Amino acid sequence: MQDTFDILIRNASVVDGSGAPRYSGDIGIRGDRIARIGGLAGERGKLEIDLGGRIAAPGFIDAHTHDDRLMLSNPDMAPKVSQGVTTVVAGNCGISLAPMPQVPQPVTPPLNLLDEDGKWFTFPTFAAYIAQLKATPAATNCALLVGHTTLRVVTMDDLQEPATPRQIERMRGLVREALEAGAIGVSTGLFYEPAIAAPTEEVIAVCQPLKEFDGVYCTHMRNEGDRVVDSLEETFRIGREVGVPVVISHLKVVGEANHGRSQEAIDVIERNMAGQTICMDCYPYTAGSTVLSADRATGSSRVIVSWSKPLPQYAGQDLDAIAKQLGCSQEEAVKRLSPAGGIYFRLAESDVQRILKHDKTMIGSDGLPHDAAPHPRLWGTFPRVLGHYGRLLGLFSLETAIYKMTGLTAKNFGLKDRGVLREGAFADLTLFDAETIDSAATYEKPIAPARGIASVIVNGAVVWQDGKPTGSRPGRVLQRETARAET
Ligand code: ZN
Ligand code: CU
């Protein structure tokens, strides 16, 4: 007898990614697509998986990552597929691995979050980077942003200044090249040096090609603290003047003085949603993580060092304790540890919950995959939303939680036939146990695969099974396709 399907998943509780209630069914996969969903009791599959009532959901889409290099250096993508992620949006916060015709030494922060040594910055053009991803695919799909900070480093000698008209012209040319090669948008990290020197007008001018290509503008805003509302207004202005959708990266309100102001931020966002396309992502933790700096340490209730080039032995320890061991002030300790990364506790739990819960908020990990002692969001974001925030705290239903990491994200980024379980869609699936799923990664032990994930399938190939990668690397570089792009 002939096998009808390549993979046949029996007895699933199907959560289709649209937010609709789950239903019972079998799922038949042929090639890279879902061929049938329904009662398939009489059918056969080359591979059969009986879920016994456990959940089949669309593979999760990580709306915010820094996986540009991970896809090449660790193509199994274990931190991501282990938690059910099948697509990553890379190139965020102004930081993209390409284009980089000549690598600055030392690597300009925050570009060193991708690669401290600079040996992975080997792609002179965005097209060369995409060609490499296609030649040596990763386990996950990706959608790529080109970073404004990267473009500044490539085109400017004095990064402390606004770009000159000629430099803007060059950056704009590189944005066009990246979009032609297959990037889906531009990201900025206006919060960070050296992009902080860029006036709003520079960003608007550099982003001009986005409109023609129907790209998106994603931003780590200039200020997420006292001036968060000004930064939101700046973001909306950029979106309006360029004429494209905006994605507010890791929406949060930072600093004790601003705790509670997520309501104000959401009010401003909702008011502006009436006139333009706005969405946001969020990670489910009260600590953030980025380059180590004394300023950021001062505004935080606790700081953990996530990596250090000169003093790697301190990765994973509290800055407090390190300063004591070194017998110096925190500020001096930061100096001795740098270049380094930090995990900063400076958000209020109630703000995190309010933002996570908002019906327009997508889930994004913002994980930093090359840190020695990474923030647990790298391995734990998606299961923590489903387990801790969904099942334990009841912040939302399982269907809603999954929508925030699948259907909503696919719609916002224009990823056609992804983020949804229906006949004809791509076979990206995560199979898991709703009763046990949760993050196993903690601040103390940040590298740990999630609990409750059974199997993860990308483009019809199993990439994670029995708690480990299968070695399959079916990932593709996805294009943005929207209704507007098709007309
Ligand atoms: Zn960021
Ligand atoms: Cu980021």
Side-chain angles (χ1 to χ4, degrees):
M1 177 179 184
Q2 253 205 326
D3 296 323
T4 327
F5 298 109
D6 294 315
I7 303 177
L8 178 53
I9 300 164
R10 297 189 190 277
N11 301 312
S13 286
V14 182
V15 178
D16 71 3
S18 71
R22 69 194 85 176
Y23 61 91
S24 303
D26 308 318
I27 302 171
I29 295 168
R30 221 176 272 132
D32 62 358
R33 302 267 183 171
I34 296 172
R36 293 271 306 279
I37 303 182
L40 305 174
E43 310 284 338
R44 285 268 167 276
K46 284 181 196 134
L47 171 68
E48 299 197 0
I49 301 171
D50 193 328
L51 279 184
R54 284 177 295 170
I55 306 290
F60 308 148
I61 302 171
D62 192 340
H64 186 108
T65 84
H66 296 284
D67 293 343
D68 304 43
R69 169 194 145 191
L70 190 73
M71 290 187 276
L72 299 173
S73 63
N74 303 74
D76 282 340
M77 299 290 285
K80 296 305 164 79
V81 296
S82 62
Q83 52 178 316
V85 170
T86 58
T87 297
V88 299
V89 180
N92 277 284
C93 297
I95 310 163
S96 59
L97 197 61
M100 189 57 76
Q102 214 178 1
V103 192
Q105 281 299 344
V107 179
T108 318
L111 298 189
N112 59 353
L113 292 179
L114 292 183
D115 174 20
E116 173 58 30
D117 299 325
K119 63 174 196 279
W120 289 93
F121 282 98
T122 52
F123 304 103
T125 63
F126 211 86
Y129 174 55
I130 289 187
Q132 187 62 49
L133 286 172
K134 287 182 175 167
T136 56
T140 58
N141 302 308
C142 64
L144 304 171
L145 303 165
V146 61
H148 166 244
T149 299
T150 297
L151 299 182
R152 284 194 122 229
V153 169
V154 171
T155 56
M156 296 176 66
D157 304 318
D158 186 354
L159 288 165
Q160 308 310 316
E161 293 292 318
T164 64
R166 279 188 71 145
Q167 289 163 341
I168 287 176
E169 196 53 51
R170 277 196 65 202
M171 284 194 265
R172 194 189 289 154
L174 293 172
V175 166
R176 170 172 289 280
E177 246 181 69
L179 294 169
E180 275 168 353
I184 65 157
V186 173
S187 77
T188 59
L190 300 175
F191 165 78
Y192 294 102
E193 281 187 31
I196 202 166
T200 313
E201 291 72 18
E202 175 185 318
V203 178
I204 292 170
V206 168
C207 286
Q208 283 308 316
L210 279 179
K211 188 171 167 79
E212 184 190 328
F213 288 85
D214 192 35
V216 290
Y217 172 69
C218 304
T219 182
H220 181 155
M221 298 191 298
R222 205 177 284 277
N223 190 292
E224 296 172 323
D226 299 350
R227 287 180 286 115
V228 62
V229 171
D230 294 344
S231 291
L232 286 167
E233 297 290 1
E234 179 185 34
T235 303
F236 304 149
R237 180 186 159 202
I238 293 167
R240 281 195 309 272
E241 294 200 16
V242 180
V244 294
V246 299
V247 180
I248 302 161
S249 297
H250 42 62
L251 177 64
K252 55 179 162 319
V253 282
V254 171
E256 217 174 319
N258 298 301
H259 286 179
R261 292 185 67 203
S262 56
Q263 187 61 56
E264 192 185 339
I266 284 174
D267 289 345
V268 177
I269 291 169
E270 284 180 344
R271 266 204 304 284
N272 282 271
M273 275 175 169
Q276 65 186 110
T277 307
I278 301 165
C279 59
M280 59 259 196
D281 59 72
C282 180
Y283 51 75
Y285 296 89
T286 54
S289 182
T290 185
V291 178
L292 187 67
S293 87
D295 277 7
R296 254 164 265 158
T298 311
S300 307
S301 60
R302 179 187 173 197
V303 181
I304 305 171
V305 172
S306 55
W307 61 276
S308 162
K309 193 166 192 196
L311 300 170
Q313 66 271 30
Y314 291 114
Q317 295 192 37
D318 278 39
L319 181 61
D320 253 1
I322 298 171
K324 270 191 203 114
Q325 288 172 63
L326 294 174
C328 65
S329 68
Q330 279 210 16
E331 214 177 328
E332 177 60 26
V334 168
K335 257 192 217 139
R336 292 199 210 166
L337 289 158
S338 294
I343 296 169
Y344 305 91
F345 291 77
R346 47 187 191 157
L347 310 178
E349 177 64 30
S350 56
D351 287 320
V352 172
Q353 291 192 18
R354 185 182 284 132
I355 292 167
L356 270 182
K357 202 176 163 174
H358 192 275
D359 58 0
K360 293 292 185 338
T361 302
M362 307 177 276
I363 308 304
S365 71
D366 202 10
L368 297 171
H370 312 297
D371 291 8
H375 188 305
R377 67 194 183 185
L378 176 66
W379 287 78
T381 289
F382 293 83
R384 180 170 162 85
V385 168
L386 296 168
H388 179 75
Y389 284 107
R391 185 180 65 245
L392 262 64
L393 300 189
L395 209 57
F396 24 57
S397 68
L398 182 70
E399 286 82 351
T400 298
I402 287 177
Y403 171 65
K404 290 168 160 297
M405 47 184 82
T406 59
L408 177 64
T409 320
K411 176 172 137 265
N412 286 337
F413 286 102
L415 307 178
K416 197 166 168 258
D417 296 337
R418 307 276 173 184
V420 63
L421 293 188
R422 62 166 157 64
E423 293 178 1
F426 285 102
D428 293 346
L429 291 95
T430 293
L431 312 179
F432 67 94
D433 185 345
E435 300 310 313
T436 59
I437 190 161
D438 211 332
S439 166
T442 61
Y443 292 104
E444 290 68 35
K445 191 174 168 285
I447 298 176
R451 282 189 281 269
I453 301 274
S455 312
V456 182
I457 298 170
V458 175
N459 295 317
V462 180
V463 297
W464 181 267
Q465 176 82 46
D466 302 326
K468 46 182 193 301
T470 61
S472 224
R473 290 165 192 174
R476 296 180 191 164
V477 180
L478 306 184
Q479 302 295 309
R480 178 171 158 82
E481 294 178 59
T482 63
R484 204 184 106 197
E486 279 159 14
T487 53

